[in-house]
């Protein structure tokens, strides 16, 4: 499938949850065609994108970047939101885990656990870079 088309569809779906002034900025590098499970990838993008929107302030930008090479695919979703403490990052993909700084934000604590499972099914891995009050970046890498 053509990756940019999938991302544009996801952006449309995510647009209904954007806060006032929030925008999604998308960049792609590499070939347009990706050979992976489109349905699982869509669920990953929607979940990570929804989290970026939910945990970022109004008038901010959510960055989505994709890259396809001959050997791998990389998806990066970055925000300038509330961030995740180093202590909480260790448990981020545990079932029902919620960070200490998101107690007042509605969520179940299952989303990232499920995303990690989907990525495992695709043969990939996920990494997180985050700092409190600065933002979060999730990097999904799938080799083929």
């Amino acid at each position: 499938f053509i990756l940019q088309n999938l991302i544009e569809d996801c952006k449309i779906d995510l647009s209904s949850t954007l806060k006032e002034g929030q925008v999604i900025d998308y960049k792609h590098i590499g070939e347009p065609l990706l050979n992976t499970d489109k349905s699982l990838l869509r669920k990953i993008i929607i979940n990570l994108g929804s989290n970026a929107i939910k945990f970022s302030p109004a008038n901010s930008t959510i960055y989505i970047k994709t890259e396809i090479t001959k050997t791998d695919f990389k998806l990066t979703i970055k925000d300038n939101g509330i961030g995740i403490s180093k202590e909480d990052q260790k448990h981020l993909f545990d079932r029902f885990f919620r960070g200490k700084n998101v107690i007042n934000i509605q969520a179940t604590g299952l989303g990232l656990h499920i995303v990690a499972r989907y990525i495992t099914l695709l043969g990939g891995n996920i990494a997180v870079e985050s700092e409190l009050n600065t933002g979060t970046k999730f990097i999904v890498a799938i080799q083929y």
Side-chain angles (χ1 to χ4, degrees):
F1 62 92
I2 298 173
L3 178 61
Q4 290 96 324
N5 293 346
L6 173 65
I7 300 291
E8 291 303 323
D9 289 344
C10 291
K11 282 177 60 177
I12 290 167
D13 290 347
L14 290 167
S15 68
S16 66
T17 63
L18 289 171
K19 295 175 186 165
E20 184 177 336
Q22 281 184 328
V23 294
I24 298 173
D25 179 87
Y26 173 57
K27 302 275 188 272
H28 176 73
I29 299 170
E31 298 296 320
L33 294 175
L34 182 61
N35 184 15
T36 193
D37 188 308
K38 185 177 181 180
S39 176
L40 286 182
L41 183 59
R42 183 183 188 294
K43 290 172 182 163
I44 292 165
I45 294 164
I46 293 293
N47 186 282
L48 294 176
S50 295
N51 284 349
I53 292 165
K54 185 187 313 182
F55 298 115
S56 293
N59 302 308
S60 63
T61 302
I62 309 304
Y63 299 92
I64 300 176
K65 180 181 171 188
T66 54
E67 183 174 359
I68 299 174
T69 68
K70 291 185 186 333
T71 59
D72 62 350
F73 162 70
K74 186 157 75 168
L75 164 71
T76 304
I77 298 184
K78 180 184 179 304
D79 65 56
N80 297 302
I82 63 174
I84 305 161
S85 73
K86 296 293 181 202
E87 180 184 324
D88 284 349
Q89 287 178 38
K90 295 180 233 172
H91 305 286
L92 206 50
F93 301 103
D94 294 350
R95 190 179 326 169
F96 300 116
F97 178 77
R98 304 222 30 233
K100 290 178 181 64
N101 63 333
V102 298
I103 300 301
N104 296 328
I105 299 173
Q106 187 175 6
T108 63
L110 280 174
L112 290 176
H113 174 75
I114 293 169
V115 162
R117 298 285 299 261
Y118 289 156
I119 293 167
T120 300
L121 288 172
L122 295 176
N125 58 60
I126 185 168
V128 63
E129 298 172 7
S130 187
E131 198 170 307
L132 283 174
N133 304 312
T134 301
T136 302
K137 179 183 347 181
F138 284 96
I139 304 127
V140 175
I142 300 170
Q143 294 184 335
Y144 43 86

